[in-house]
Amino acid sequence: MRNHIDREEGRFPADIKKTKQREEIFRILTSAREPMSAVDIYNCLLKTMPDAGFAISTVYRSLAVFEEKGYVAKTSLTGSDMSYFEWCQGQHRHYAVCLKCHKLIPLKDCPFEHMELDAAEDFTITGHKLELYGYCKGCRL
Amino acid sequence: MRNHIDREEGRFPADIKKTKQREEIFRILTSAREPMSAVDIYNCLLKTMPDAGFAISTVYRSLAVFEEKGYVAKTSLTGSDMSYFEWCQGQHRHYAVCLKCHKLIPLKDCPFEHMELDAAEDFTITGHKLELYGYCKGCRL
DNA sequence: CTTACTGCAAAGGATTTGCAGACTA
DNA sequence: TAGTCTGCAAATCCTTTGCAGTAAG
């Protein structure tokens, strides 16, 4: 997990070997406003750098490295079978996901921000996943 | 979703066509103490009825039918790439999942039971997913 | 220079689907 | 009987892996 005192937002992590591909993935992920799937990122890469010859496997491997160091969070969302990745910008976020159009609506606060402890005995809680689901304005019946 | 006034716990849902396979899946799922993957259920089926010649596709198809009517909840858990299915017994449950051994520890109450509304604007919340993760007693460093 | 990273293609694993036969209501 | 459900096998889709060549420090 990320314990670096000198960690700066917007800079490529110092404890991860820098490569052209990783920098590009970093850029895409840090400028995204919501979680992206590996395939989303891959397509984005193809548009940005059509001649670079990226491979989807590189995307997965890079994401795994980022995740391992705690820079990226991997989640799965209701209504989709694939994984989504989000750059952990300081504090985490949660979403309300529309069951029909799959739109993601970020929640302002995390209700669990100040109650991380003591929910279960004999268990050290290091994090949580929270997702609300239902129907957004346009999809409501 | 399940709106039947005469719904009884422990009975096979009246609004789903009853077949030998579905009854068996129903039985397994309603007597399970925690979420099962489709493969878990399939293996269970093989043990219980070795000569029946079940197919894994039947399991998936039956689960989809149960889910569609709101009898079964499909989730994905941190640390695993597959889906887990749980019979919705009246009220839902949440779990703390160990990042190391993947043990599931049920939470006593759902912190969201009484605050379903108003977390996001223009969004009708119909449910939520909550999962705590960390390390259980035996896996703690 | 040495080690780690990448592209490519093939493998893997979970889940879905087409089809003809079997079963339920 | 009519329509749905099932088993089987093949097909998908997402994700991972092996390998030989390439790039980073």
Side-chain angles (χ1 to χ4, degrees):
Chain A
M1 290 296 163
R2 183 174 21 154
N3 291 317
H4 304 275
I5 297 164
D6 54 38
R7 166 179 153 259
E8 297 171 65
E9 297 297 347
R11 303 269 168 293
F12 192 91
D15 56 346
I16 288 181
K17 189 170 184 178
K18 193 186 289 188
T19 68
K20 182 161 49 77
Q21 302 64 346
R22 289 179 181 179
E23 284 185 285
E24 197 55 21
I25 293 170
F26 167 80
R27 194 188 56 70
I28 291 172
L29 224 36
T30 51
S31 58
R33 330 127 209 67
E34 50 181 61
M36 301 176 79
S37 71
V39 176
D40 289 339
I41 296 169
Y42 179 63
N43 288 331
C44 211
L45 238 25
L46 290 185
K47 275 181 212 152
T48 322
M49 317 179 73
D51 9 278
F54 279 113
I56 186 82
S57 55
T58 300
V59 176
Y60 279 107
R61 280 192 272 229
S62 300
L63 288 170
V65 171
F66 286 135
E67 188 195 5
E68 201 177 313
K69 297 281 185 174
Y71 292 106
V72 158
K74 182 180 180 181
T75 353
S76 55
L77 298 169
T78 293
S80 173
D81 290 328
M82 51 192 160
S83 297
Y84 287 83
F85 302 85
E86 182 173 27
W87 195 267
C88 305
Q89 335 214 3
Q91 68 172 46
H92 63 262
R93 258 190 307 177
H94 297 296
Y95 297 89
V97 47
C98 179
L99 291 170
K100 196 168 172 194
C101 71
H102 299 122
K103 192 195 304 178
L104 293 181
I105 298 170
L107 304 186
K108 284 229 171 62
D109 311 293
C110 168
F112 279 85
E113 209 59 70
H114 304 293
M115 55 173 296
E116 290 279 0
L117 303 171
D118 186 335
E121 295 177 66
D122 275 336
F123 194 89
T124 305
I125 298 172
T126 61
H128 60 265
K129 274 169 38 179
L130 167 64
E131 182 191 312
L132 305 183
Y133 49 86
Y135 297 96
C136 69
K137 195 177 185 179
C139 296
R140 204 146 32 205
L141 312 185
Chain B
M1 290 293 162
R2 186 172 22 155
N3 291 314
H4 303 276
I5 297 163
D6 54 40
R7 167 180 150 257
E8 297 171 64
E9 296 297 346
R11 303 268 167 294
F12 191 92
D15 55 347
I16 288 180
K17 192 170 183 178
K18 193 186 289 186
T19 67
K20 181 161 51 73
Q21 302 62 350
R22 290 180 179 178
E23 283 185 286
E24 197 56 22
I25 293 170
F26 167 80
R27 194 189 56 69
I28 291 173
L29 224 36
T30 51
S31 58
R33 332 131 210 63
E34 52 181 58
M36 302 177 79
S37 71
V39 176
D40 289 340
I41 296 169
Y42 180 64
N43 289 331
C44 210
L45 239 24
L46 290 184
K47 274 183 212 149
T48 323
M49 316 179 74
D51 8 279
F54 279 113
I56 187 79
S57 55
T58 300
V59 176
Y60 280 107
R61 280 192 271 228
S62 300
L63 288 171
V65 171
F66 286 136
E67 188 196 4
E68 199 177 316
K69 297 281 188 177
Y71 292 105
V72 158
K74 181 180 181 181
T75 352
S76 54
L77 298 169
T78 293
S80 174
D81 289 328
M82 55 190 158
S83 298
Y84 287 83
F85 301 85
E86 183 173 28
W87 195 267
C88 304
Q89 334 213 3
Q91 69 172 48
H92 63 261
R93 257 191 306 180
H94 296 295
Y95 299 88
V97 47
C98 179
L99 291 171
K100 196 168 173 193
C101 72
H102 298 123
K103 194 197 302 180
L104 293 181
I105 299 171
L107 305 185
K108 285 227 172 64
D109 311 292
C110 168
F112 279 85
E113 209 60 71
H114 304 294
M115 56 172 297
E116 291 278 1
L117 302 172
D118 184 335
E121 297 178 61
D122 274 335
F123 194 90
T124 305
I125 298 172
T126 61
H128 61 263
K129 276 168 39 178
L130 167 64
E131 184 190 312
L132 305 183
Y133 49 86
Y135 298 95
C136 69
K137 196 176 185 177
C139 296
R140 202 147 30 207
L141 310 186

